[in-house]
Amino acid sequence: MPSAATRDYLWIAVGDIHDEPARFDQIPELSQADGVIVTGDLTITGGVKQAELVMEALRAHDIPVLAQIGNMDRPEVDAWLSEKGWNLHTFTRELTPEIAVFGVGASTFTPFGTPSEYPESAFAAWLEAAWQRARMYPHTVLVSHNPPKDTACDVIPGGVHVGSMAVREFLEEAQPDICLCGHIHEARAVDRVGRTVVVNPGALAAGGYVVLRSNSGQLSAELRVLE
């Protein structure tokens, strides 16, 4: 039997679903997937009822789903995801014996007063706590709803960078293999912070998603867009 280091794995990552999971079924790699990762924003200021409808749609394919809140999800969704054993926000999970995934959902403060916004200091503390567990693995994937500041993944019209400095500083220091992010729909992009590959697929309704692969122990993330 092949070991975890030599067996190939594939995960699908999506985000910014906002109560619209319909395009998820169109992802061609879904039939091969070992799991699904949601970077945040299951709903539009929704609670458990709305999040449950989205998660039912994602879980209909009988593959594991890990998810976390974005800034648009009410805090009660975070508690519900934890109760179900699906939460990534402030958790470290094992994808394989060689790969850990750890998450930080919600967002820093926005002009819109959305349900789950926190100061940069909270993100710095959450990241450090999760990293203490994740760093024991040879390979690591950070799932951050907030994109790191000053990258192609956090730019809004006008060329303004609105990402998280705490996430940026964490990536510069810790250098996980991959950072999957979201939040800024118009900043669908791939970038790097040092050796860390940063991918923002944008909103699922616009067709963006990420194929995360482990091939012979080598971890990669590829941005794809549905036609």
Side-chain angles (χ1 to χ4, degrees), residues 171-190:
L171 294 183
E172 289 176 345
E173 181 175 348
Q175 293 284 274
D177 295 81
I178 292 166
C179 173
L180 304 175
C181 58
H183 189 41
I184 309 303
H185 299 188
E186 56 268 54
R188 179 197 292 153
V190 179

Side-chain angles (χ1 to χ4, degrees), residues 14 49 81 124 129 145 161 189 203 215 221 223 225:
V14 296
K49 181 178 179 181
L81 288 170
H145 186 61
H161 292 273
N215 295 114
L223 173 61
V225 184

Side-chain angles (χ1 to χ4, degrees), residues 20 32 50 74 93 100 132 147 159 166 172 174 199-200 213 223:
E20 295 186 58
Q32 312 162 44
Q50 292 85 355
R74 296 180 197 164
R93 308 281 189 181
Q132 293 309 309
E172 289 176 345
V199 189
N200 179 357
R213 294 182 187 271
L223 173 61

Side-chain angles (χ1 to χ4, degrees), residues 9-199:
Y9 293 86
L10 184 153
W11 301 272
I12 302 295
V14 296
D16 297 281
I17 299 170
H18 298 300
D19 297 321
E20 295 186 58
R23 299 209 73 182
F24 184 72
D25 291 339
Q26 301 170 19
I27 295 173
E29 297 87 356
L30 206 52
S31 61
Q32 312 162 44
D34 293 286
V36 175
I37 296 168
V38 182
T39 63
D41 277 355
L42 295 165
T43 74
I44 303 175
T45 69
V48 171
K49 181 178 179 181
Q50 292 85 355
E52 191 168 20
L53 292 173
V54 172
M55 288 296 287
E56 283 177 359
L58 301 184
R59 289 175 52 80
H61 298 269
D62 198 30
I63 52 178
V65 180
L66 293 172
Q68 64 186 11
I69 59 169
N71 59 296
M72 294 290 282
D73 304 305
R74 296 180 197 164
E76 68 194 62
V77 176
D78 179 54
W80 176 75
L81 288 170
S82 292
E83 290 170 7
K84 293 291 186 179
W86 302 333
N87 205 355
L88 266 177
H89 175 53
T90 72
F91 283 86
T92 299
R93 308 281 189 181
E94 184 176 286
L95 291 180
T96 78
E98 303 290 316
I99 305 168
V101 60
F102 60 111
V104 177
S107 82
T108 47
F109 294 118
T110 75
F112 311 109
T114 54
S116 294
E117 300 181 1
Y118 300 89
E120 292 276 18
S121 58
F123 290 91
W126 288 333
L127 286 162
E128 181 59 29
W131 180 240
Q132 293 309 309
R133 299 183 294 273
R135 67 189 303 171
M136 307 304 293
Y137 288 77
H139 298 288
T140 51
V141 178
L142 168 62
V143 181
S144 172
H145 186 61
N146 264 333
K149 197 171 190 323
D150 296 330
T151 62
C153 300
D154 81 321
V155 185
I156 60 173
V160 179
H161 292 273
V162 295
S164 165
M165 184 55 72
V167 174
R168 171 87 193 199
E169 290 175 351
F170 172 80
L171 294 183
E172 289 176 345
E173 181 175 348
Q175 293 284 274
D177 295 81
I178 292 166
C179 173
L180 304 175
C181 58
H183 189 41
I184 309 303
H185 299 188
E186 56 268 54
R188 179 197 292 153
V190 179
D191 205 341
R192 280 184 178 268
V193 176
R195 78 177 192 91
T196 301
V197 177
V198 183
V199 189

